[in-house]
Amino acid sequence: MTETQTQPQENPLLEGLGMRRTPESCALVIFGASGDLTRRKIFPALYALAYRRLLPERFAVVGTARSEWSDHEFRDRMEHAVREFGRDDFKQEVWDWLADATQYHPMDFADESKADELVSVLNRVDEERGTRGNRVYYLAVPPPAMPTIAKRLGKRRSTKGWTRIIVEKPFGHDLASARQLTKLLSRYFAEEEVFRIDHYLGKETVQNMLALRFANGIFEPIWNRQFVDHIQITVAETIGIESRAEFYEKAGAIRDIFQNHMLQLVALTAMEPPIDFTADSVRNEKVKVLKAMYTPGPKHVVRGQYGPGFVEGKEAPGYRDEEGVGPSSTTETYVAAKLFVDNWRWADTPIYVRTGKRLARRETTIAIQFKRAPHPPFEDSAIKELQPNSLLVHVQPDEGVSLAIGAKVPGQGMGIRTVHMDFMYGGAFRMELPDAYERLILDAMLGDQTLFTRSDEVEEQWAIVDAIVAAWARDRPAFPNYAAGTWGPVSADELIQRDGREWLTH
Amino acid sequence: LTATHVHAEQWSGEDVGVGDVVMALCRLREASAHETEGPDMRTSVMTHLAWVPPEWEEAAVETLAGLGERHPSRGILLFPQPEADDGIDANISVLAFPLREQRRHIAAEVIELRLRGRTCEAPASIVNPLLVPAIPVFLRWRGRPGFGEQHAEQLVEVCDRLIVDSREWPDVPQAYAQLPFDRAACSDIAWRRTEPWRRSLARLWPGIAELEKLRVQGPIAEASLLAGWLRSRLDREVVLEHDEAEELTAVDVDGDACPVPKERPTSSDLLSGELDEFSRDRVYEAAARAAATF
């Protein structure tokens, strides 16, 4: 008896076996295979999936880039990458299986004949490895290279099997370019075939936001303007721009983080309960939040750029001193904003967001700050250290959730102090959290778009960003305005202090 | 104790009461605070209760050692000694496991109670005050539970999920008929051992749909459960031919060999897998019921 392909809808033996997340046979084609993303994220993720036997038996990886590497050299580099960046112990048999499925073809897609060559390669892969014409194209390339690749792939779609195309962020540079890219992709690919990656959505703790809100009866009734004073979302990095000056100079913090990760976190925090957990239900609710957001006026947005300073005890150069950055660069490395979602649930409830590089600490946190107890029946001295309740969702590091509550200090008097009740992923679930890319690559192979952004979401995000950037164009900022290793410019503190509030330090 | 914990606080006493155990637990947790920024966190997701007759003691302690870090909950091991004088002896450990990127630790509590004499007859009265409130209780029963006997009935009432290993039972497959599916979610480590084989068999669909004869080389528990599973899932009579062996080594489907799975889970992995399940396993229930009729 030969092994046959699983048919989840009909096979009665699959129930309870958790096998439905094994994708159909397919070939994963990585464009930009010689790049950092492939080395640091994509291959370690593929190894982790192979380690857990989540990849299909009939599977192939075809790497392509301009670097003139041989198959052997590519596999060798990827083995080193897996050893360096993989989260699992290195098992030779797992790697051998993945390496056997992997090949590399140097190609410059600017040359149209190379696209035909790739088609021949993939047809041969189908015959040799039984991948049945099913293709996942992963565009791990800079934005300018995307249209050419997408166009050439689109013209040469496989007539057998299915096609999916994964597009890395940033999706466009502004609303116009995003629309242009969407238009180009839609000429060759259906929306159901386009997987726009925002890797934050693949993080366990981001998905836990949905579990926290919609699997617990206690939070949703108070998750609104009646009980919530305000929300703070922080995406703080301690690193600088590493070797990404060329990209970052054009993008800045607003396109690198705010347009995608930050607005996705806002949407997940503020969205209404979806009717189910299908891709369109979740994305419909997220897009409603984005549509309901006011475009923040100039007084509600702060930008900054780091100067020299000390980060975690080490001297750090200013942004303008980074390699590849001009001495008078006005690119922002920090953005803070006060946002409003103008709907029934959140009217008049500010959402303060901030993101930046070279900040005091690496953390991504969503803080829901509740309103104060209306009339604590204690003396003022008893509650002087008492803060309002806040629910902190730690996206990274220290993944988990904390609830700040007031508790009596033991003793004769009635002193009350704020303490934290902690749920930590590492404490309750003693397992390594999967990397976001594992989840997202697997979902793309399975055709599940729930954790990918839809074109209308991306466009709403760009509309907000374009309005902010347009306002910035009117004046020249006085940069640098914060020292590396601090929490950003003074004007960001003033932004929230004007409302009688403070940024939370967790 | 396990190799991965960073420190352990211990207390033991003879002829103790349950109140002494509760107090000792509190003191041990406070004592653990001196090395870290505060008391070690107790992130309980369950109370893990185990009934361990003397012949299973060594195996139980070994499995628990492999589990400590993965399920750092409150573990209560009951060692019945019905022939001894009445009384309870206790040995308590609070183990601290490191948290990634943090100075804090999480605490796992292990309470070993030797139930002597008549205390074996009322285990629920001893266990109830020690359960962590509002989270599930998993009862791991080593050996063959005496369903219908007082102590077994009491503990089944206390638990949310009963975990057995029917490979440890002398009277399978008939004994499957006694599993208390109506009172607690039941799971079986023998069933978990068949999982890699079930995956392999599932991949033979649809060719396996008309299966008539299954030949299994392995323990009778796993063989019966595999045949019961196929009988219940395919909704057809399946003849089982069984060759006894210490482990599941071969499965033939109407004369054709099923691909041998590569996975080889350890005993801790198997129990850990069961501790990750919280709801009723209706596929197992149907398989066990079908197996009982072989």
Tab-separated table of all heavy atoms in Angstrom, chain A residues 1-6 10-15 17-19 53 397-399 422 424 426-428 430 432, chain B residues 41 43 69-70 72 97-102 104 106 198-199 202-206 208 229 233 256 262 283:
chain	number	residue	atom	x	y	z
A	1	MET	N	0.842	-1.196	0.000
A	1	MET	CA	0.000	0.000	0.000
A	1	MET	C	0.886	1.259	0.000
A	1	MET	O	1.834	1.342	0.750
A	1	MET	CB	-0.872	-0.019	1.262
A	1	MET	CG	-1.873	1.099	1.307
A	1	MET	SD	-2.992	0.897	2.700
A	1	MET	CE	-3.835	-0.609	2.261
A	2	THR	N	0.595	2.207	-0.839
A	2	THR	CA	1.445	3.395	-0.905
A	2	THR	C	0.841	4.522	-0.079
A	2	THR	O	-0.363	4.555	0.175
A	2	THR	CB	1.560	3.887	-2.360
A	2	THR	OG1	0.243	4.108	-2.841
A	2	THR	CG2	2.287	2.880	-3.223
A	3	GLU	N	1.717	5.430	0.317
A	3	GLU	CA	1.253	6.576	1.097
A	3	GLU	C	0.484	7.509	0.181
A	3	GLU	O	0.904	7.798	-0.926
A	3	GLU	CB	2.458	7.291	1.677
A	3	GLU	CG	2.087	8.336	2.684
A	3	GLU	CD	3.339	8.883	3.343
A	3	GLU	OE1	4.079	8.095	3.931
A	3	GLU	OE2	3.534	10.100	3.243
A	4	THR	N	-0.648	7.968	0.620
A	4	THR	CA	-1.453	8.856	-0.221
A	4	THR	C	-1.580	10.200	0.461
A	4	THR	O	-1.350	10.326	1.656
A	4	THR	CB	-2.859	8.279	-0.441
A	4	THR	OG1	-3.417	8.024	0.838
A	4	THR	CG2	-2.814	7.029	-1.267
A	5	GLN	N	-1.980	11.193	-0.321
A	5	GLN	CA	-2.094	12.538	0.241
A	5	GLN	C	-3.290	12.626	1.187
A	5	GLN	O	-4.347	12.069	0.924
A	5	GLN	CB	-2.280	13.529	-0.888
A	5	GLN	CG	-2.192	14.949	-0.367
A	5	GLN	CD	-2.203	15.926	-1.495
A	5	GLN	OE1	-2.283	15.539	-2.642
A	5	GLN	NE2	-2.116	17.192	-1.163
A	6	THR	N	-3.103	13.330	2.312
A	6	THR	CA	-4.188	13.429	3.275
A	6	THR	C	-5.306	14.303	2.738
A	6	THR	O	-5.068	15.289	2.054
A	6	THR	CB	-3.669	14.046	4.590
A	6	THR	OG1	-3.040	15.277	4.277
A	6	THR	CG2	-2.699	13.125	5.266
A	10	GLU	N	-12.238	14.517	4.598
A	10	GLU	CA	-12.897	13.227	4.430
A	10	GLU	C	-12.266	12.117	5.260
A	10	GLU	O	-12.898	11.094	5.492
A	10	GLU	CB	-12.841	12.819	2.946
A	10	GLU	CG	-13.574	13.781	2.028
A	10	GLU	CD	-13.248	13.527	0.567
A	10	GLU	OE1	-12.694	12.456	0.266
A	10	GLU	OE2	-13.541	14.406	-0.237
A	11	ASN	N	-11.041	12.299	5.660
A	11	ASN	CA	-10.338	11.203	6.317
A	11	ASN	C	-10.759	11.103	7.782
A	11	ASN	O	-10.390	11.943	8.601
A	11	ASN	CB	-8.830	11.455	6.201
A	11	ASN	CG	-8.005	10.320	6.762
A	11	ASN	OD1	-8.523	9.458	7.474
A	11	ASN	ND2	-6.729	10.326	6.447
A	12	PRO	N	-11.510	10.063	8.168
A	12	PRO	CA	-11.989	9.977	9.558
A	12	PRO	C	-10.864	9.679	10.544
A	12	PRO	O	-11.040	9.833	11.748
A	12	PRO	CB	-12.989	8.816	9.514
A	12	PRO	CG	-12.537	7.963	8.378
A	12	PRO	CD	-11.938	8.895	7.372
A	13	LEU	N	-9.722	9.249	10.042
A	13	LEU	CA	-8.615	8.904	10.943
A	13	LEU	C	-7.858	10.126	11.432
A	13	LEU	O	-7.056	10.043	12.352
A	13	LEU	CB	-7.645	7.952	10.232
A	13	LEU	CG	-8.264	6.649	9.727
A	13	LEU	CD1	-7.211	5.799	9.035
A	13	LEU	CD2	-8.906	5.860	10.857
A	14	LEU	N	-8.120	11.266	10.827
A	14	LEU	CA	-7.366	12.463	11.213
A	14	LEU	C	-7.889	13.100	12.503
A	14	LEU	O	-7.164	13.825	13.161
A	14	LEU	CB	-7.429	13.502	10.092
A	14	LEU	CG	-6.602	13.183	8.860
A	14	LEU	CD1	-6.832	14.234	7.795
A	14	LEU	CD2	-5.127	13.113	9.206
A	15	GLU	N	-9.132	12.810	12.862
A	15	GLU	CA	-9.705	13.493	14.017
A	15	GLU	C	-8.874	13.235	15.276
A	15	GLU	O	-8.562	12.095	15.608
A	15	GLU	CB	-11.146	13.047	14.264
A	15	GLU	CG	-11.791	13.901	15.337
A	15	GLU	CD	-13.285	13.658	15.464
A	15	GLU	OE1	-13.894	13.167	14.504
A	15	GLU	OE2	-13.826	13.955	16.537
A	17	LEU	N	-5.817	13.966	15.741
A	17	LEU	CA	-4.389	13.751	15.509
A	17	LEU	C	-3.620	15.047	15.257
A	17	LEU	O	-2.406	15.028	15.166
A	17	LEU	CB	-4.170	12.815	14.322
A	17	LEU	CG	-4.330	11.337	14.644
A	17	LEU	CD1	-4.169	10.506	13.389
A	17	LEU	CD2	-3.312	10.891	15.675
A	18	GLY	N	-4.339	16.135	15.155
A	18	GLY	CA	-3.658	17.413	14.948
A	18	GLY	C	-2.800	17.429	13.703
A	18	GLY	O	-1.740	18.018	13.672
A	19	MET	N	-3.258	16.733	12.663
A	19	MET	CA	-2.446	16.653	11.438
A	19	MET	C	-2.870	17.652	10.390
A	19	MET	O	-2.276	17.733	9.343
A	19	MET	CB	-2.528	15.254	10.834
A	19	MET	CG	-1.807	14.220	11.655
A	19	MET	SD	-2.021	12.579	10.983
A	19	MET	CE	-1.173	12.675	9.434
A	53	ARG	N	8.212	18.182	12.104
A	53	ARG	CA	7.550	17.426	11.034
A	53	ARG	C	6.276	18.135	10.559
A	53	ARG	O	5.248	17.501	10.305
A	53	ARG	CB	7.244	16.002	11.497
A	53	ARG	CG	8.503	15.230	11.874
A	53	ARG	CD	8.172	13.898	12.516
A	53	ARG	NE	7.486	13.015	11.604
A	53	ARG	CZ	8.069	12.283	10.673
A	53	ARG	NH1	9.365	12.340	10.510
A	53	ARG	NH2	7.358	11.484	9.901
A	397	PRO	N	10.338	41.792	25.721
A	397	PRO	CA	10.616	40.416	26.141
A	397	PRO	C	9.706	40.075	27.327
A	397	PRO	O	8.699	40.748	27.508
A	397	PRO	CB	12.072	40.500	26.579
A	397	PRO	CG	12.228	41.904	27.090
A	397	PRO	CD	11.262	42.754	26.296
A	398	ASP	N	10.062	39.085	28.128
A	398	ASP	CA	9.257	38.678	29.298
A	398	ASP	C	7.803	38.473	28.896
A	398	ASP	O	6.879	38.992	29.544
A	398	ASP	CB	9.306	39.738	30.423
A	398	ASP	CG	10.710	40.116	30.815
A	398	ASP	OD1	11.622	39.337	30.491
A	398	ASP	OD2	10.892	41.176	31.419
A	399	GLU	N	7.586	37.735	27.824
A	399	GLU	CA	6.256	37.595	27.267
A	399	GLU	C	5.238	37.174	28.323
A	399	GLU	O	5.460	36.191	29.033
A	399	GLU	CB	6.270	36.557	26.140
A	399	GLU	CG	7.100	36.958	24.937
A	399	GLU	CD	8.564	36.596	25.035
A	399	GLU	OE1	9.013	36.236	26.138
A	399	GLU	OE2	9.260	36.676	24.010
A	422	ASP	N	1.289	38.493	37.953
A	422	ASP	CA	1.952	38.182	36.686
A	422	ASP	C	1.524	36.843	36.109
A	422	ASP	O	1.421	35.856	36.828
A	422	ASP	CB	3.473	38.094	36.890
A	422	ASP	CG	4.094	39.447	37.141
A	422	ASP	OD1	3.451	40.445	36.790
A	422	ASP	OD2	5.190	39.495	37.699
A	424	MET	N	3.345	34.750	33.192
A	424	MET	CA	4.475	34.790	32.259
A	424	MET	C	4.453	33.520	31.431
A	424	MET	O	4.348	32.410	31.978
A	424	MET	CB	5.777	34.903	33.021
A	424	MET	CG	5.728	36.070	33.995
A	424	MET	SD	7.330	36.737	34.358
A	424	MET	CE	7.604	37.724	32.938
A	426	GLY	N	6.787	32.028	29.937
A	426	GLY	CA	7.871	31.112	30.275
A	426	GLY	C	7.613	30.370	31.564
A	426	GLY	O	8.205	29.329	31.815
A	427	GLY	N	6.749	30.918	32.417
A	427	GLY	CA	6.464	30.254	33.673
A	427	GLY	C	5.371	29.225	33.556
A	427	GLY	O	5.475	28.121	34.080
A	428	ALA	N	4.299	29.570	32.873
A	428	ALA	CA	3.162	28.653	32.800
A	428	ALA	C	3.356	27.597	31.718
A	428	ALA	O	2.949	26.450	31.887
A	428	ALA	CB	1.891	29.447	32.513
A	430	ARG	N	6.176	25.810	29.801
A	430	ARG	CA	7.629	25.670	29.782
A	430	ARG	C	8.092	25.168	28.433
A	430	ARG	O	8.615	24.063	28.299
A	430	ARG	CB	8.077	24.731	30.899
A	430	ARG	CG	7.670	25.215	32.267
A	430	ARG	CD	8.422	26.454	32.692
A	430	ARG	NE	9.804	26.138	33.025
A	430	ARG	CZ	10.712	27.055	33.279
A	430	ARG	NH1	10.407	28.330	33.185
A	430	ARG	NH2	11.936	26.704	33.602
A	432	GLU	N	9.645	26.691	24.455
A	432	GLU	CA	10.102	27.828	23.667
A	432	GLU	C	8.951	28.337	22.810
A	432	GLU	O	8.242	27.540	22.182
A	432	GLU	CB	11.222	27.386	22.741
A	432	GLU	CG	12.551	27.205	23.432
A	432	GLU	CD	13.286	28.514	23.610
A	432	GLU	OE1	13.365	29.279	22.652
A	432	GLU	OE2	13.772	28.754	24.729
B	41	MET	N	7.712	32.699	41.596
B	41	MET	CA	6.334	32.704	41.120
B	41	MET	C	5.771	31.297	41.066
B	41	MET	O	6.451	30.372	40.626
B	41	MET	CB	6.287	33.264	39.698
B	41	MET	CG	6.059	34.710	39.638
B	41	MET	SD	5.621	35.147	37.971
B	41	MET	CE	7.067	34.670	37.123
B	43	THR	N	3.289	29.547	39.033
B	43	THR	CA	2.414	29.695	37.869
B	43	THR	C	1.716	28.366	37.627
B	43	THR	O	2.093	27.614	36.752
B	43	THR	CB	3.214	30.093	36.624
B	43	THR	OG1	4.349	29.239	36.562
B	43	THR	CG2	3.628	31.525	36.662
B	69	GLU	N	10.200	20.530	35.073
B	69	GLU	CA	10.410	21.811	34.425
B	69	GLU	C	9.310	22.141	33.434
B	69	GLU	O	8.981	23.300	33.226
B	69	GLU	CB	11.770	21.833	33.722
B	69	GLU	CG	12.047	23.230	33.209
B	69	GLU	CD	13.439	23.432	32.716
B	69	GLU	OE1	14.155	22.442	32.600
B	69	GLU	OE2	13.773	24.582	32.429
B	70	ARG	N	8.748	21.115	32.800
B	70	ARG	CA	7.745	21.401	31.773
B	70	ARG	C	6.391	21.773	32.366
B	70	ARG	O	5.635	22.520	31.782
B	70	ARG	CB	7.595	20.184	30.853
B	70	ARG	CG	8.616	20.197	29.738
B	70	ARG	CD	8.438	19.027	28.820
B	70	ARG	NE	9.042	17.840	29.380
B	70	ARG	CZ	9.090	16.671	28.743
B	70	ARG	NH1	8.561	16.546	27.553
B	70	ARG	NH2	9.669	15.634	29.293
B	72	PRO	N	5.493	23.035	35.823
B	72	PRO	CA	5.865	23.397	37.185
B	72	PRO	C	4.641	23.707	38.042
B	72	PRO	O	4.409	24.850	38.415
B	72	PRO	CB	6.738	24.631	36.977
B	72	PRO	CG	6.224	25.225	35.713
B	72	PRO	CD	5.686	24.132	34.876
B	97	PHE	N	12.772	26.875	39.167
B	97	PHE	CA	13.286	26.745	37.803
B	97	PHE	C	13.538	28.133	37.229
B	97	PHE	O	12.760	29.057	37.479
B	97	PHE	CB	12.285	25.995	36.919
B	97	PHE	CG	12.090	24.579	37.334
B	97	PHE	CD1	11.032	24.226	38.155
B	97	PHE	CD2	12.979	23.602	36.933
B	97	PHE	CE1	10.851	22.912	38.547
B	97	PHE	CE2	12.809	22.289	37.318
B	97	PHE	CZ	11.753	21.940	38.132
B	98	PRO	N	14.596	28.273	36.442
B	98	PRO	CA	14.911	29.617	35.936
B	98	PRO	C	13.912	30.067	34.873
B	98	PRO	O	13.336	29.243	34.169
B	98	PRO	CB	16.300	29.444	35.316
B	98	PRO	CG	16.405	27.988	35.000
B	98	PRO	CD	15.553	27.262	35.996
B	99	LEU	N	13.736	31.359	34.820
B	99	LEU	CA	12.935	31.955	33.748
B	99	LEU	C	13.890	32.611	32.772
B	99	LEU	O	14.784	33.341	33.190
B	99	LEU	CB	12.012	33.032	34.309
B	99	LEU	CG	10.633	32.599	34.735
B	99	LEU	CD1	9.941	33.765	35.429
B	99	LEU	CD2	9.796	32.159	33.555
B	100	ARG	N	13.657	32.368	31.493
B	100	ARG	CA	14.538	32.907	30.468
B	100	ARG	C	14.661	34.433	30.592
B	100	ARG	O	13.671	35.121	30.760
B	100	ARG	CB	13.963	32.535	29.099
B	100	ARG	CG	14.850	32.796	27.919
B	100	ARG	CD	14.295	32.061	26.712
B	100	ARG	NE	12.882	32.334	26.497
B	100	ARG	CZ	12.419	33.280	25.699
B	100	ARG	NH1	13.231	34.044	25.038
B	100	ARG	NH2	11.123	33.448	25.542
B	101	GLU	N	15.876	34.935	30.512
B	101	GLU	CA	16.156	36.372	30.517
B	101	GLU	C	15.695	37.089	31.785
B	101	GLU	O	15.489	38.289	31.790
B	101	GLU	CB	15.499	37.070	29.303
B	101	GLU	CG	16.046	36.634	27.964
B	101	GLU	CD	15.353	37.328	26.805
B	101	GLU	OE1	14.686	38.337	27.031
B	101	GLU	OE2	15.497	36.844	25.680
B	102	GLN	N	15.490	36.337	32.872
B	102	GLN	CA	15.022	36.991	34.076
B	102	GLN	C	15.769	36.502	35.294
B	102	GLN	O	16.265	35.387	35.323
B	102	GLN	CB	13.538	36.678	34.272
B	102	GLN	CG	12.701	37.340	33.248
B	102	GLN	CD	11.393	37.793	33.855
B	102	GLN	OE1	11.314	38.182	35.005
B	102	GLN	NE2	10.369	37.738	33.061
B	104	ARG	N	14.143	36.264	38.118
B	104	ARG	CA	13.149	35.550	38.925
B	104	ARG	C	13.067	34.095	38.513
B	104	ARG	O	13.472	33.702	37.430
B	104	ARG	CB	11.787	36.221	38.749
B	104	ARG	CG	11.750	37.605	39.321
B	104	ARG	CD	10.392	38.215	39.137
B	104	ARG	NE	9.424	37.600	40.032
B	104	ARG	CZ	8.135	37.942	40.030
B	104	ARG	NH1	7.686	38.826	39.188
B	104	ARG	NH2	7.301	37.365	40.868
B	106	ILE	N	10.502	30.394	38.778
B	106	ILE	CA	9.157	29.901	39.056
B	106	ILE	C	9.279	28.695	39.973
B	106	ILE	O	10.268	27.968	39.942
B	106	ILE	CB	8.391	29.531	37.778
B	106	ILE	CG1	9.200	28.542	36.948
B	106	ILE	CG2	8.049	30.740	36.983
B	106	ILE	CD1	8.344	27.844	35.942
B	198	ARG	N	-0.703	5.982	14.606
B	198	ARG	CA	-1.993	6.436	14.066
B	198	ARG	C	-1.773	7.465	12.958
B	198	ARG	O	-2.507	7.480	11.970
B	198	ARG	CB	-2.862	7.014	15.191
B	198	ARG	CG	-3.476	5.913	16.071
B	198	ARG	CD	-4.411	6.498	17.108
B	198	ARG	NE	-3.707	6.990	18.271
B	198	ARG	CZ	-3.904	8.175	18.826
B	198	ARG	NH1	-4.782	9.016	18.300
B	198	ARG	NH2	-3.238	8.536	19.893
B	199	ARG	N	-0.763	8.300	13.136
B	199	ARG	CA	-0.463	9.266	12.065
B	199	ARG	C	-0.074	8.532	10.784
B	199	ARG	O	-0.516	8.878	9.692
B	199	ARG	CB	0.698	10.180	12.473
B	199	ARG	CG	0.358	11.179	13.530
B	199	ARG	CD	1.603	12.012	13.861
B	199	ARG	NE	1.447	12.717	15.099
B	199	ARG	CZ	0.807	13.868	15.234
B	199	ARG	NH1	0.297	14.446	14.172
B	199	ARG	NH2	0.692	14.448	16.403
B	202	ALA	N	-3.104	7.005	9.304
B	202	ALA	CA	-4.007	8.006	8.721
B	202	ALA	C	-3.539	8.432	7.335
B	202	ALA	O	-4.347	8.783	6.472
B	202	ALA	CB	-4.107	9.212	9.640
B	203	ARG	N	-2.230	8.400	7.136
B	203	ARG	CA	-1.702	8.804	5.828
B	203	ARG	C	-2.028	7.768	4.760
B	203	ARG	O	-1.822	8.022	3.574
B	203	ARG	CB	-0.192	9.019	5.916
B	203	ARG	CG	0.186	10.242	6.715
B	203	ARG	CD	1.644	10.615	6.549
B	203	ARG	NE	1.984	11.731	7.421
B	203	ARG	CZ	2.590	11.616	8.602
B	203	ARG	NH1	2.973	10.418	9.035
B	203	ARG	NH2	2.834	12.674	9.342
B	204	LEU	N	-2.488	6.603	5.158
B	204	LEU	CA	-2.843	5.574	4.176
B	204	LEU	C	-4.259	5.758	3.633
B	204	LEU	O	-4.697	4.986	2.781
B	204	LEU	CB	-2.702	4.173	4.808
B	204	LEU	CG	-1.299	3.824	5.325
B	204	LEU	CD1	-1.293	2.434	5.941
B	204	LEU	CD2	-0.279	3.887	4.191
B	205	TRP	N	-4.982	6.705	4.193
B	205	TRP	CA	-6.314	7.017	3.674
B	205	TRP	C	-6.208	7.523	2.236
B	205	TRP	O	-5.282	8.256	1.955
B	205	TRP	CB	-6.969	8.071	4.572
B	205	TRP	CG	-8.317	8.492	4.107
B	205	TRP	CD1	-8.617	9.546	3.310
B	205	TRP	CD2	-9.539	7.848	4.409
B	205	TRP	NE1	-9.946	9.609	3.089
B	205	TRP	CE2	-10.552	8.579	3.745
B	205	TRP	CE3	-9.892	6.715	5.152
B	205	TRP	CZ2	-11.896	8.204	3.827
B	205	TRP	CZ3	-11.222	6.372	5.227
B	205	TRP	CH2	-12.205	7.108	4.569
B	206	PRO	N	-7.052	7.132	1.316
B	206	PRO	CA	-8.276	6.343	1.492
B	206	PRO	C	-8.068	4.838	1.312
B	206	PRO	O	-9.027	4.073	1.440
B	206	PRO	CB	-9.199	6.899	0.399
B	206	PRO	CG	-8.236	7.288	-0.687
B	206	PRO	CD	-6.975	7.741	-0.024
B	208	ILE	N	-6.944	2.692	3.152
B	208	ILE	CA	-7.194	1.907	4.359
B	208	ILE	C	-8.691	1.789	4.679
B	208	ILE	O	-9.087	1.069	5.598
B	208	ILE	CB	-6.430	2.548	5.548
B	208	ILE	CG1	-6.284	1.562	6.701
B	208	ILE	CG2	-7.068	3.850	5.981
B	208	ILE	CD1	-5.391	2.043	7.822
B	229	TRP	N	-9.471	1.693	17.604
B	229	TRP	CA	-9.526	3.005	16.932
B	229	TRP	C	-9.982	2.842	15.485
B	229	TRP	O	-10.887	3.544	15.022
B	229	TRP	CB	-8.137	3.633	17.001
B	229	TRP	CG	-7.946	4.881	16.193
B	229	TRP	CD1	-8.569	6.075	16.361
B	229	TRP	CD2	-7.042	5.049	15.086
B	229	TRP	NE1	-8.107	6.980	15.438
B	229	TRP	CE2	-7.177	6.387	14.648
B	229	TRP	CE3	-6.142	4.219	14.444
B	229	TRP	CZ2	-6.435	6.889	13.578
B	229	TRP	CZ3	-5.403	4.728	13.397
B	229	TRP	CH2	-5.554	6.038	12.966
B	233	ARG	N	-13.337	4.373	14.049
B	233	ARG	CA	-13.257	5.459	13.078
B	233	ARG	C	-13.743	5.037	11.696
B	233	ARG	O	-14.362	5.828	10.984
B	233	ARG	CB	-11.818	5.994	12.940
B	233	ARG	CG	-11.185	6.579	14.177
B	233	ARG	CD	-12.029	7.577	14.896
B	233	ARG	NE	-12.421	8.726	14.083
B	233	ARG	CZ	-13.369	9.582	14.406
B	233	ARG	NH1	-14.043	9.418	15.536
B	233	ARG	NH2	-13.655	10.585	13.630
B	256	ASP	N	-0.032	-5.517	4.214
B	256	ASP	CA	0.988	-4.536	3.805
B	256	ASP	C	1.529	-3.807	5.025
B	256	ASP	O	0.756	-3.376	5.887
B	256	ASP	CB	0.384	-3.497	2.842
B	256	ASP	CG	0.024	-4.115	1.512
B	256	ASP	OD1	0.766	-5.000	1.062
B	256	ASP	OD2	-1.018	-3.722	0.947
B	262	LYS	N	9.020	7.714	12.904
B	262	LYS	CA	10.362	7.976	13.446
B	262	LYS	C	10.320	8.410	14.912
B	262	LYS	O	11.303	8.304	15.621
B	262	LYS	CB	11.033	9.079	12.623
B	262	LYS	CG	11.413	8.618	11.228
B	262	LYS	CD	11.980	9.777	10.429
B	262	LYS	CE	12.225	9.340	8.989
B	262	LYS	NZ	12.411	10.483	8.100
B	283	VAL	N	-12.216	10.463	20.778
B	283	VAL	CA	-11.671	9.454	19.858
B	283	VAL	C	-11.106	8.283	20.674
B	283	VAL	O	-11.326	7.121	20.356
B	283	VAL	CB	-10.586	10.075	18.950
B	283	VAL	CG1	-9.969	9.029	18.033
B	283	VAL	CG2	-11.183	11.207	18.125
